[in-house]
Amino acid sequence: MRIDKIDKKLLSQHIKSALTEDNCNNDITSALLNTKKVSAKLIFKEPGILCGKKWVDEVFKAIDSNVKIKWYFNDGDSICKGENVGIISGNIKSILKGERTALNFLQTLSGVSSLTKRYQDKIKNKDIKILYTRKILPGWRYAISYACQIMGCYAHRKNLSESILIKENHLKAIDDPEEFIRKAKKLKKLIIVEAKTLREVAIFKNLEVDRILLDNFSIIKLKKVLAITKGVPIEVSGNINLANINKYAIKGISFISIGSITKNIKVIDISLLIQ
């Protein structure tokens, strides 16, 4: 699975913010313990996809560079219930300082990757690409994007500058959509336009936009659109879930964007157990 190289600056910033938030340097409980070297296992208490190794590594590196982690699996691997994915060795005080922060990252990112895999497994038409959206908890975009991307799921739009996305609320402020799109083309960016009616679909198709977005279209209405848009990439979104995704995965659809992958996260239950 291809993934862009880890951005060490963004990773470091996220780790630093999380550890500061937890005031890890003032762990008054661990300070009362005797100093001793221990090892701890990272156990998956339910099946899922492993994701977040680098975040765990960086948490303990920031706390105590003498803490060592040996991983038995890679990000993106399927893990069985009860499986030990890694061993952490070092000062018990250092391990306990970073325990919660490290697990928060590992559980959350593993949860995102696991849900992404479930959506991909549901789709029978493998020519359709699943996209994640910007419906992400502020501050977590880089990490959660990584968790999606290692599973082969890419962004509908990474940020506001990446592409031109003209949605329903933009159109309400645009007097002449045709002139606006002609102006937008001069920026040499990908242009995605949301259409609410068949008439709008026809207009945007003739203007040769890069993609037409259909949000909350019924299957019947969607098929009417596909009958007049052959050759134009179509993206669908809105109330698509694991139970109904295959209804939308029909010939002629290029992309399905799903907000729940990054918005409604169910973390994977993972424990750190001192041996």
Side-chain angles (χ1 to χ4, degrees):
M1 300 170 190
R2 185 182 175 278
I3 179 68
D4 293 335
K5 188 176 180 181
I6 288 285
D7 187 319
K8 293 182 179 179
K9 182 178 179 181
L10 290 177
L11 174 63
S12 178
Q13 288 174 346
H14 200 183
I15 299 301
K16 183 178 179 180
S17 174
L19 291 175
T20 298
E21 187 176 69
D22 210 29
N23 201 2
C24 72
N25 289 326
N26 292 298
D27 180 358
I28 58 176
T29 308
S30 296
L32 299 173
L33 297 174
N34 293 324
T35 299
K36 61 184 294 190
K37 186 173 181 180
V38 298
S39 62
K41 292 182 178 180
L42 289 166
I43 305 292
F44 266 57
K45 300 181 76 174
E46 61 181 309
I49 301 295
L50 172 64
C51 182
K53 287 172 52 180
K54 195 65 177 175
W55 276 258
V56 175
D57 288 342
E58 289 299 310
V59 164
F60 288 109
K61 181 179 177 182
I63 291 172
D64 181 352
S65 60
N66 291 316
V67 172
K68 305 300 179 186
I69 306 176
K70 181 178 181 180
W71 294 99
Y72 300 130
F73 297 91
N74 295 316
D75 280 352
D77 285 350
S78 293
I79 309 299
C80 298
K81 178 180 179 180
E83 201 143 29
N84 174 23
V85 299
I87 292 284
I88 305 173
S89 302
N91 186 323
I92 189 170
K93 295 184 179 183
S94 299
I95 292 175
L96 292 177
K97 283 181 183 179
E99 175 187 8
R100 186 67 268 156
T101 300
L103 284 176
N104 284 345
F105 283 121
L106 196 64
Q107 291 176 322
T108 301
L109 299 185
S110 294
V112 173
S113 292
S114 299
L115 183 56
T116 302
K117 178 70 162 53
R118 289 182 68 193
Y119 271 104
Q120 290 172 326
D121 288 346
K122 281 283 185 179
I123 285 191
K124 295 175 183 176
N125 185 347
K126 299 304 179 184
D127 291 330
I128 296 175
K129 293 181 174 64
I130 295 178
L131 305 177
Y132 67 91
T133 73
R134 288 164 45 242
K135 294 177 181 178
I136 300 173
L137 190 68
W140 275 79
R141 186 174 301 181
Y142 179 71
I144 287 179
S145 295
Y146 171 86
C148 291
Q149 290 177 37
I150 65 162
M151 304 311 296
C153 175
Y154 293 92
H156 160 75
R157 181 168 62 152
K158 289 181 180 178
N159 55 53
L160 292 171
S161 68
E162 186 184 49
S163 60
I164 297 168
L165 175 61
I166 307 167
K167 296 199 70 179
E168 180 181 13
N169 284 336
H170 296 101
L171 290 169
K172 289 178 180 178
I174 297 171
D175 295 326
D176 187 344
E178 295 182 39
E179 177 59 28
F180 187 88
I181 291 171
R182 290 191 190 99
K183 188 191 302 182
K185 285 186 175 183
K186 295 178 181 179
L187 298 176
K188 305 296 182 183
K189 294 277 191 176
L190 184 78
I191 299 176
I192 307 166
V193 185
E194 179 181 5
K196 303 302 287 186
T197 66
L198 288 174
R199 179 178 174 276
E200 288 181 347
V201 169
I203 291 172
F204 299 146
K205 176 194 173 186
N206 291 334
L207 289 172
E208 298 181 342
V209 297
D210 296 293
R211 190 187 307 168
I212 295 175
L213 171 64
L214 307 174
D215 189 49
N216 287 304
F217 269 50
S218 67
I219 299 299
I220 293 174
K221 191 175 179 182
L222 185 56
K223 289 181 177 179
K224 289 180 180 179
V225 169
L226 294 175
I228 64 171
T229 55
K230 292 180 180 178
V232 179
I234 298 295
E235 176 182 346
V236 296
S237 65
N239 295 312
I240 299 174
N241 52 51
L242 288 168
N244 66 17
I245 189 169
N246 255 321
K247 293 180 180 179
Y248 294 89
I250 55 182
K251 187 175 181 181
I253 300 298
S254 300
F255 305 96
I256 299 177
S257 53
I258 303 172
S260 62
I261 289 177
T262 57
K263 182 180 67 171
N264 302 331
I265 300 170
K266 178 188 177 298
V267 304
I268 296 296
D269 191 2
I270 304 170
S271 290
L272 185 157
L273 299 176
I274 302 288
Q275 301 303 293

Coordinates of all heavy atoms in Angstrom, one line a residue, residues 196-227:
K196 N -27.4 19.8 -8.2 CA -28.6 19.5 -7.4 C -29.7 19.0 -8.3 O -30.7 18.4 -7.9 CB -29.1 20.6 -6.6 CG -28.0 21.2 -5.6 CD -27.5 20.2 -4.6 CE -28.5 19.8 -3.6 NZ -27.9 18.9 -2.5
T197 N -29.6 19.3 -9.6 CA -30.7 19.0 -10.6 C -30.1 18.4 -11.9 O -28.9 18.6 -12.1 CB -31.5 20.2 -10.9 OG1 -30.7 21.1 -11.7 CG2 -32.1 20.9 -9.7
L198 N -30.9 17.8 -12.7 CA -30.5 17.3 -14.0 C -30.0 18.4 -14.9 O -29.1 18.3 -15.7 CB -31.6 16.4 -14.6 CG -31.9 15.1 -14.0 CD1 -33.1 14.4 -14.6 CD2 -30.7 14.2 -14.1
R199 N -30.7 19.5 -14.8 CA -30.3 20.7 -15.6 C -28.9 21.2 -15.2 O -28.1 21.5 -16.1 CB -31.3 21.8 -15.4 CG -31.0 23.1 -16.1 CD -32.1 24.2 -15.9 NE -31.7 25.4 -16.6 CZ -30.9 26.3 -16.0 NH1 -30.4 26.1 -14.8 NH2 -30.6 27.4 -16.7
E200 N -28.6 21.2 -13.9 CA -27.3 21.7 -13.5 C -26.2 20.7 -14.0 O -25.1 21.0 -14.4 CB -27.2 21.8 -12.0 CG -28.0 23.0 -11.5 CD -27.9 23.2 -10.0 OE1 -27.5 22.2 -9.3 OE2 -28.3 24.2 -9.5
V201 N -26.6 19.4 -13.9 CA -25.6 18.3 -14.4 C -25.3 18.6 -15.9 O -24.1 18.5 -16.3 CB -26.3 16.9 -14.2 CG1 -25.4 15.9 -15.0 CG2 -26.3 16.6 -12.8
A202 N -26.3 18.9 -16.7 CA -26.1 19.1 -18.1 C -25.2 20.3 -18.4 O -24.3 20.3 -19.2 CB -27.4 19.2 -18.8
I203 N -25.4 21.4 -17.6 CA -24.6 22.6 -17.7 C -23.2 22.3 -17.4 O -22.3 22.7 -18.1 CB -25.2 23.7 -16.8 CG1 -26.6 24.2 -17.3 CG2 -24.2 24.9 -16.7 CD1 -27.3 25.2 -16.4
F204 N -23.0 21.7 -16.2 CA -21.6 21.4 -15.8 C -20.9 20.5 -16.7 O -19.7 20.6 -16.9 CB -21.6 21.0 -14.3 CG -22.2 21.9 -13.4 CD1 -22.9 21.5 -12.3 CD2 -22.1 23.3 -13.6 CE1 -23.5 22.4 -11.4 CE2 -22.6 24.2 -12.7 CZ -23.3 23.8 -11.6
K205 N -21.6 19.5 -17.2 CA -21.0 18.6 -18.2 C -20.5 19.3 -19.4 O -19.3 19.0 -19.9 CB -22.0 17.5 -18.6 CG -21.5 16.5 -19.6 CD -22.5 15.7 -20.3 CE -22.0 14.9 -21.4 NZ -23.1 14.2 -22.1
N206 N -21.3 20.2 -19.9 CA -20.9 20.9 -21.1 C -19.7 21.9 -20.9 O -19.0 22.2 -21.8 CB -22.1 21.7 -21.7 CG -23.1 20.8 -22.2 OD1 -22.8 19.7 -22.7 ND2 -24.4 21.2 -22.2
L207 N -19.5 22.3 -19.6 CA -18.4 23.2 -19.3 C -17.2 22.4 -19.0 O -16.1 23.0 -18.7 CB -18.8 24.0 -18.0 CG -19.9 25.1 -18.3 CD1 -20.3 25.7 -16.9 CD2 -19.3 26.1 -19.2
E208 N -17.2 21.1 -19.1 CA -16.1 20.2 -19.0 C -15.4 20.4 -17.6 O -14.1 20.5 -17.6 CB -15.1 20.4 -20.1 CG -15.7 20.1 -21.5 CD -14.8 20.2 -22.6 OE1 -13.8 21.0 -22.5 OE2 -15.0 19.7 -23.7
V209 N -16.1 20.3 -16.5 CA -15.5 20.3 -15.2 C -14.8 18.9 -15.0 O -15.1 18.0 -15.7 CB -16.5 20.6 -14.1 CG1 -17.1 22.0 -14.3 CG2 -17.6 19.5 -14.1
D210 N -14.0 18.9 -14.0 CA -13.2 17.6 -13.8 C -14.0 16.5 -13.1 O -13.8 15.3 -13.3 CB -12.0 17.9 -13.0 CG -11.0 18.8 -13.7 OD1 -10.4 18.4 -14.7 OD2 -10.8 19.9 -13.2
R211 N -15.0 17.0 -12.3 CA -15.9 16.0 -11.6 C -17.2 16.6 -11.2 O -17.2 17.8 -10.8 CB -15.1 15.5 -10.4 CG -15.8 14.3 -9.7 CD -15.1 14.0 -8.4 NE -13.6 13.8 -8.5 CZ -12.8 13.8 -7.5 NH1 -13.2 13.9 -6.2 NH2 -11.5 13.6 -7.7
I212 N -18.2 15.9 -11.3 CA -19.5 16.3 -10.8 C -19.9 15.6 -9.5 O -19.8 14.4 -9.5 CB -20.6 16.1 -11.9 CG1 -20.3 17.0 -13.1 CG2 -22.0 16.5 -11.3 CD1 -21.3 16.8 -14.3
L213 N -20.2 16.3 -8.5 CA -20.6 15.8 -7.2 C -22.1 15.7 -7.0 O -22.8 16.7 -7.3 CB -20.0 16.6 -6.1 CG -20.4 16.3 -4.6 CD1 -19.9 14.9 -4.2 CD2 -19.8 17.3 -3.7
L214 N -22.6 14.6 -6.7 CA -24.0 14.4 -6.4 C -24.2 14.0 -5.0 O -23.8 12.9 -4.6 CB -24.6 13.3 -7.4 CG -24.3 13.5 -8.9 CD1 -24.8 12.3 -9.7 CD2 -24.9 14.8 -9.4
D215 N -24.9 14.9 -4.2 CA -25.0 14.6 -2.8 C -26.5 14.3 -2.5 O -27.4 15.1 -2.9 CB -24.6 15.9 -2.0 CG -24.6 15.7 -0.5 OD1 -24.0 14.7 -0.1 OD2 -25.1 16.5 0.2
N216 N -26.7 13.2 -1.8 CA -28.0 12.8 -1.4 C -29.0 12.6 -2.6 O -30.2 12.9 -2.5 CB -28.6 13.8 -0.4 CG -28.0 13.7 1.0 OD1 -28.0 12.7 1.6 ND2 -27.4 14.8 1.4
F217 N -28.5 12.0 -3.7 CA -29.3 11.7 -4.8 C -29.9 10.3 -4.6 O -29.2 9.4 -4.1 CB -28.5 11.6 -6.1 CG -28.5 13.0 -6.8 CD1 -28.1 14.1 -6.2 CD2 -28.7 13.0 -8.2 CE1 -28.1 15.3 -6.8 CE2 -28.7 14.2 -8.9 CZ -28.4 15.4 -8.2
S218 N -31.2 10.1 -4.9 CA -31.8 8.8 -4.9 C -31.2 7.9 -6.0 O -30.6 8.4 -7.0 CB -33.3 8.9 -5.1 OG -33.6 9.3 -6.4
I219 N -31.3 6.6 -5.9 CA -30.7 5.7 -6.9 C -31.4 6.0 -8.2 O -30.8 6.0 -9.3 CB -30.9 4.2 -6.5 CG1 -30.1 4.0 -5.2 CG2 -30.4 3.3 -7.6 CD1 -28.7 4.2 -5.2
I220 N -32.7 6.2 -8.2 CA -33.4 6.5 -9.5 C -32.9 7.7 -10.2 O -32.6 7.7 -11.4 CB -35.0 6.6 -9.2 CG1 -35.5 5.2 -8.7 CG2 -35.7 7.1 -10.4 CD1 -37.0 5.3 -8.3
K221 N -32.8 8.8 -9.4 CA -32.3 10.0 -9.9 C -30.8 9.9 -10.3 O -30.4 10.5 -11.4 CB -32.4 11.1 -8.9 CG -32.2 12.5 -9.4 CD -32.4 13.6 -8.3 CE -32.2 15.0 -8.8 NZ -32.4 16.0 -7.7
L222 N -30.1 9.1 -9.6 CA -28.7 8.9 -9.9 C -28.5 8.2 -11.3 O -27.7 8.6 -12.1 CB -28.0 8.1 -8.8 CG -26.5 7.8 -8.9 CD1 -25.7 9.1 -9.0 CD2 -26.1 7.0 -7.7
K223 N -29.3 7.3 -11.6 CA -29.3 6.5 -12.8 C -29.7 7.5 -14.0 O -29.1 7.3 -15.1 CB -30.2 5.3 -12.8 CG -29.6 4.2 -11.9 CD -30.5 3.0 -11.9 CE -29.9 1.9 -11.0 NZ -30.8 0.7 -10.9
K224 N -30.6 8.4 -13.8 CA -30.9 9.4 -14.8 C -29.7 10.3 -15.1 O -29.5 10.6 -16.3 CB -32.1 10.2 -14.3 CG -33.4 9.5 -14.3 CD -34.5 10.4 -13.8 CE -35.9 9.7 -13.8 NZ -37.0 10.6 -13.3
V225 N -29.0 10.6 -14.1 CA -27.8 11.4 -14.3 C -26.7 10.7 -15.1 O -26.2 11.2 -16.1 CB -27.2 11.9 -13.0 CG1 -25.8 12.5 -13.2 CG2 -28.1 12.9 -12.3
L226 N -26.5 9.4 -14.7 CA -25.5 8.6 -15.4 C -25.8 8.4 -16.9 O -24.9 8.2 -17.7 CB -25.4 7.3 -14.7 CG -24.8 7.3 -13.3 CD1 -24.8 5.9 -12.6 CD2 -23.4 7.9 -13.3
A227 N -27.1 8.5 -17.2 CA -27.5 8.3 -18.6 C -27.1 9.4 -19.5 O -26.9 9.3 -20.7 CB -29.0 8.1 -18.7

